[in-house]
Amino acid sequence: MKVLAAFLALSLSSVAFGQLRRSTGAPVLPAVSTAAPDGAFALETNPAALALQNGWDLAYVHADRVGDDELAARGDGLYGSTTLPFRLAIAASVDWIRPTTGAERGRFSLGAAWARSRRFALGGALRYSASSDPIGGVTSLDVSALWRPSSTITFSLVAHDLLGPAGLVTDAADVPATFALAAQLRPFATDGLTVEVVGALDTDGRVGVRALAAAVIPRIGRVWGSLEGDDLRDTSDLRATVGLDVRFGNGSVTGGAILGDDLTGWITAARLSSHERVGLPTPGYVDDIEVKSAGPRSLLALLNRLDRDRGDRRVRGVLLRLRGTSMGLAAAQEVRAAIGALQASGKPVVCHADTLSGSETYACSAAAGSYVDPAGYVRLLGPSLEVMNFGEALENVGVRADFVRIGDFKSAVEQYTNGAMSGPARLQRNALLDDVYTRMTEDMAVDRDVPPAAVRRWVDGGPYIADEAVDLGVATEILDEHDLGPILRETIGTSRRRRTPPEDARRTVGVPRRIAVVVVDGSIVDGNNVDLPIIEIHQTGGRTITQTLDALIADRTVAAIVVRIDSPGGSALASEQIWRAIRRARRSKPVIATMGAVAASGGYYIASACDEIYADPSTITGSIGIFFGKADFGPLANRLGVSVTQIGRGRHAGATSLYRPFTAEERGVIADKIRRFYRLFLQRVAEGREELDVEDVDRLGRGRVWTGDAA
């Protein structure tokens, strides 16, 4: 027995029958936890845990003796449970106990539970036993509470047979109440290794203990065991239970042995759940993803799903159905990288599109194949920019743009002040196009195993109808999406597709350590976020982001923060507030910036506060500069015959009016103020990029923008 106890302590984890053997108890169960049981067996050991399940669960158990040995808890049990809305759960069971000596009895149980959160739950179970012995007609009540202070520790208190001492069962039966206190430890914050200790006391004075353990065996299931003393007043009354769960898909089968003084028995059980249980390999499927948009948030969702697919053993490959995504080059580079990671992990990716844009063609160049609808085409064209300047048009209608700026390359205001593109603006935009075009053609050349010159010829010859694209090698084949089955079987090994991902099989109890993602997209404005979904306008509010970051700082389950930036900038005040919030966060946890299509001006201001910054090769970033101005509608009002009379007090009263220009003195004051803001911008960037001083940042700044490659 000592050797067995040592074996259990060293090699097993998580759990078992969990209370003193009771006259009203069930057949012997496999190693089911008392502190944090998973599934329908929780109805017997800890009803509160029912509320923390994922979906429904059905379980059957049979316990029997070996030879002529005695087994009081011999019999069969059928258990079922399901979660409900509002954090509720219900369960029911039917047991038939056939002890080797004594009368047989049947038992019916109903249970319910409620979870206040993933950390705390309450539950109870009402049971009725039918038998020819004094237990017949007994009604018993169990209640329990469960508390998870962290993802590694769980405590539970379970009270069984509370009606017994009150005399509320039958006159003939003596049913003591039993109280069990359990503590479970998951040292790695996963279900991979679990140990548990249970202490129990009943109203007749019996004191019992149980040590439980279970460990996951990769690609098979779980080995488990328990060692229990039913009554410490009799040290010979010891029993051990050991066994193995073999898991496959949504089901599992269990085999185990019961060992003790003058006792040998065996257990078998089967379970079927709504969620998959990690164990034996399953046939797997193709993750069928329809991509309709590649905006900042939908792109994040897609990348997250592709990353999960890479680590999900159920996914054999991915089908990307691209449907008018309007994907930019920076987004295409991120999708291409995710496709490449899947391909490298042995999970082929197949792309299908009605029509392929140039960016989609680029993204799918890393896939195992790109297929186009027979009536479709490929818009493979070179990158381009369109810059509109309204300066003369505004003057013609009587509107004067009045701005003060720092940096010759801070060209955003030129669309309102100039009639044509300035020299510095043309210079930096040509540099951007050179970087993007070179990166795109060289990447596609590597993916398609052709010289870069061949890709440049493809770009120069576009667009193409479907058969032309296939003849050139730009696309793999012309194919209707309903005919993808043979291609998927040939490329991925199965045509079994699933469009909605299942629950994550790796989900664990408690609240695991997490990485939080904070999205800064659209213009940065003062105050709260602005959302106008009908006209698809989203602006990021400085107050919203700072409050979010402060909440994540206080959340101990958040191990790190990723700030995802896809913004051209905006308010200097809001950017500075977010910058300070990020610096506060860095005192307690890492903060990483990732850039999407654009992270310029205020977007870069925010990024500079982070520990590290990651950009796509075609990200537009930088624009370290500042401007302030307004549109003067005074000439337009005069032209329309509108009289605007201004009355004020103070030298600069009415300076922000839209019906007069700045005075020379006001322009000087504004220039001084924006120089101070610009100096603050430089200092903030220098603080974040420790290898640069203020002079270095100024030399690289002056409003200039860069691609991610150049930055």
Side-chain angles (χ1 to χ4, degrees):
M1 190 58 67
K2 291 181 179 179
V3 173
L4 177 61
F7 168 75
L8 290 170
L10 290 172
S11 64
L12 302 175
S13 128
S14 152
V15 298
F17 185 30
Q19 68 279 339
L20 293 171
R21 280 163 280 176
R22 310 183 320 274
S23 58
T24 60
V28 179
L29 299 181
V32 179
S33 171
T34 297
D38 172 36
F41 285 143
L43 175 61
E44 182 64 28
T45 64
N46 185 350
L50 293 167
L52 302 181
Q53 295 181 51
N54 300 320
W56 56 265
D57 187 68
L58 293 173
Y60 167 78
V61 65
H62 174 75
D64 214 330
R65 64 181 177 175
V66 173
D68 296 327
D69 287 359
E70 293 187 1
L71 182 61
R74 173 174 170 259
D76 300 86
L78 181 63
Y79 294 75
S81 65
T82 185
T83 53
L84 298 173
F86 309 109
R87 300 173 183 163
L88 296 171
I90 57 173
S93 69
V94 177
D95 302 297
W96 188 250
I97 296 93
R98 302 182 302 281
T100 49
T101 59
E104 298 183 3
R105 59 187 172 89
R107 193 183 69 151
F108 177 71
S109 304
L110 284 174
W114 170 76
R116 184 178 182 274
S117 67
R118 296 294 295 178
R119 294 176 181 270
F120 183 77
L122 297 171
L126 195 65
R127 314 184 194 280
Y128 177 79
S129 298
S131 173
S132 60
D133 67 8
I135 295 299
V138 166
T139 300
S140 59
L141 174 67
D142 299 350
V143 297
S144 65
L146 180 152
W147 177 47
R148 290 178 175 141
S150 75
S151 58
T152 58
I153 300 175
T154 304
F155 298 103
S156 286
L157 178 63
V158 187
H160 297 278
D161 301 326
L162 285 178
L163 301 180
L168 299 177
V169 286
T170 66
D171 294 336
D174 178 17
V175 181
T178 304
F179 303 91
L181 180 63
Q184 183 189 89
L185 174 66
R186 301 189 310 150
F188 306 114
T190 72
D191 292 333
L193 176 65
T194 315
V195 293
E196 180 172 306
V197 177
V198 184
L201 174 70
D202 72 9
T203 52
D204 284 347
R206 285 193 308 162
V207 178
V209 295
R210 177 172 284 105
L212 314 163
V216 170
I217 302 177
R219 304 185 68 81
I220 295 177
R222 186 185 68 148
V223 61
W224 48 260
S226 69
L227 180 65
E228 66 183 57
D230 187 55
D231 189 351
L232 295 185
R233 297 174 300 183
D234 182 359
T235 56
S236 65
D237 189 14
L238 296 175
R239 183 172 70 181
T241 309
V242 295
L244 175 70
D245 294 341
V246 179
R247 296 175 171 178
F248 46 88
N250 291 55
S252 66
V253 294
T254 298
I258 309 166
L259 305 171
D261 297 323
D262 302 320
L263 169 64
T264 307
W266 54 276
I267 307 170
T268 184
R271 288 182 62 180
L272 184 65
S273 304
S274 59
H275 55 286
E276 189 165 307
R277 309 170 69 80
V278 177
L280 292 179
T282 55
Y285 62 88
V286 176
D287 191 9
D288 184 347
I289 307 174
E290 184 177 52
V291 186
K292 296 181 178 179
S293 170
R297 294 170 186 265
S298 56
L299 175 64
L300 273 181
L302 172 62
L303 295 174
N304 181 59
R305 183 164 171 178
L306 294 176
D307 183 63
R308 285 167 59 109
D309 284 347
R310 185 163 53 91
D312 192 332
R313 64 185 182 84
R314 300 164 294 186
V315 176
R316 297 290 180 262
V318 174
L319 170 62
L320 283 179
R321 293 183 294 116
L322 304 172
R323 301 293 181 258
T325 63
S326 301
M327 184 181 296
L329 275 174
Q333 286 165 342
E334 294 197 77
V335 174
R336 174 182 173 271
I339 291 173
L342 281 161
Q343 293 276 142
S345 68
K347 298 185 177 184
V349 178
V350 171
C351 290
H352 184 274
D354 296 333
T355 62
L356 277 170
S357 69
S359 294
E360 291 168 342
T361 305
Y362 177 25
C364 290
S365 65
S370 295
Y371 299 86
V372 185
D373 187 90
Y377 52 92
V378 178
R379 301 192 310 273
L380 180 58
L381 304 169
S384 64
L385 294 171
E386 287 185 342
V387 180
M388 300 182 71
N389 292 87
F390 307 104
E392 291 185 8
L394 290 175
E395 287 186 9
N396 289 337
V397 299
V399 178
R400 180 190 302 110
D402 200 353
F403 284 89
V404 179
R405 63 173 173 170
I406 291 180
D408 294 337
F409 295 98
K410 193 71 175 179
S411 58
V413 301
E414 291 183 2
Q415 61 181 318
Y416 307 111
T417 60
N418 292 15
M421 190 187 306
S422 68
R426 184 180 298 276
L427 177 66
Q428 71 172 353
R429 287 183 173 121
N430 277 318
L432 292 175
L433 287 175
D434 286 342
D435 285 352
V436 169
Y437 181 64
T438 300
R439 165 69 74 158
M440 172 184 168
T441 54
E442 291 183 353
D443 285 348
M444 289 184 65
V446 171
D447 293 337
R448 298 300 176 87
D449 195 23
V450 298
V455 178
R456 290 194 289 270
R457 287 194 295 271
W458 290 349
V459 172
D460 290 341
Y464 304 101
I465 60 175
D467 58 351
E468 291 175 333
V470 171
D471 290 342
L472 285 171
V474 175
T476 305
E477 190 176 330
I478 299 171
L479 197 67
D480 187 291
E481 68 173 314
H482 296 95
D483 299 327
L484 281 167
I487 294 297
L488 296 177
R489 283 192 293 272
E490 178 183 349
T491 306
I492 299 176
T494 179
S495 59
R496 179 171 172 253
R497 289 190 257 175
R498 187 164 188 167
R499 295 190 178 182
T500 303
E503 288 287 341
D504 189 355
R506 298 169 294 177
R507 194 180 212 179
T508 57
V509 299
V511 182
R513 297 275 279 171
R514 301 170 294 169
I515 295 176
V517 180
V518 178
V519 180
V520 177
D521 58 334
S523 297
I524 300 169
V525 298
D526 297 335
N528 296 322
N529 282 1
V530 176
D531 287 286
L532 301 173
I534 296 177
I535 54 178
E536 298 184 350
I537 289 179
H538 172 80
Q539 296 177 322
T540 294
R543 182 179 296 111
T544 300
I545 298 300
T546 55
Q547 290 175 346
T548 300
L549 289 168
D550 287 339
L552 295 175
I553 293 169
D555 190 337
R556 289 179 295 176
T557 68
V558 173
I561 300 171
V562 173
V563 181
R564 173 69 175 190
I565 304 169
D566 203 326
S567 169
S571 164
L573 170 63
S575 300
E576 166 67 13
Q577 290 172 336
I578 297 171
W579 189 96
R580 294 198 304 267
I582 292 173
R583 299 294 284 192
R584 289 196 298 273
R586 284 181 57 180
R587 298 171 192 163
S588 58
K589 55 197 70 177
V591 184
I592 308 300
T594 70
M595 296 177 170
V598 59
S601 193
Y604 184 75
Y605 195 125
I606 291 167
S608 70
C610 298
D611 290 283
E612 295 182 359
I613 302 173
Y614 293 88
D616 295 320
S618 295
T619 294
I620 305 301
T621 188
S623 192
I624 300 171
I626 193 167
F627 63 83
F628 180 83
K630 64 178 182 178
D632 174 15
F633 290 85
L636 176 60
N638 291 334
R639 183 172 300 175
L640 297 175
V642 177
S643 174
V644 180
T645 302
Q646 295 180 345
I647 301 175
R649 298 292 184 273
R651 182 177 299 177
H652 304 304
T656 57
S657 169
L658 299 182
Y659 296 97
R660 74 166 178 83
F662 294 123
T663 66
E665 182 181 358
E666 288 168 348
R667 292 181 64 84
V669 171
I670 292 169
D672 178 65
K673 299 300 184 291
I674 66 170
R675 276 194 295 270
R676 295 189 183 191
F677 277 114
Y678 179 63
R679 190 70 179 179
L680 178 62
F681 198 160
L682 299 179
Q683 290 171 349
R684 293 311 195 198
V685 174
E687 287 181 51
R689 306 291 90 203
E690 295 177 357
E691 66 276 15
L692 300 176
D693 57 27
V694 170
E695 288 69 27
D696 291 329
V697 179
D698 185 33
R699 176 174 50 82
L700 295 170
R702 313 303 296 178
R704 184 158 189 169
V705 295
W706 311 86
T707 63
D709 268 332

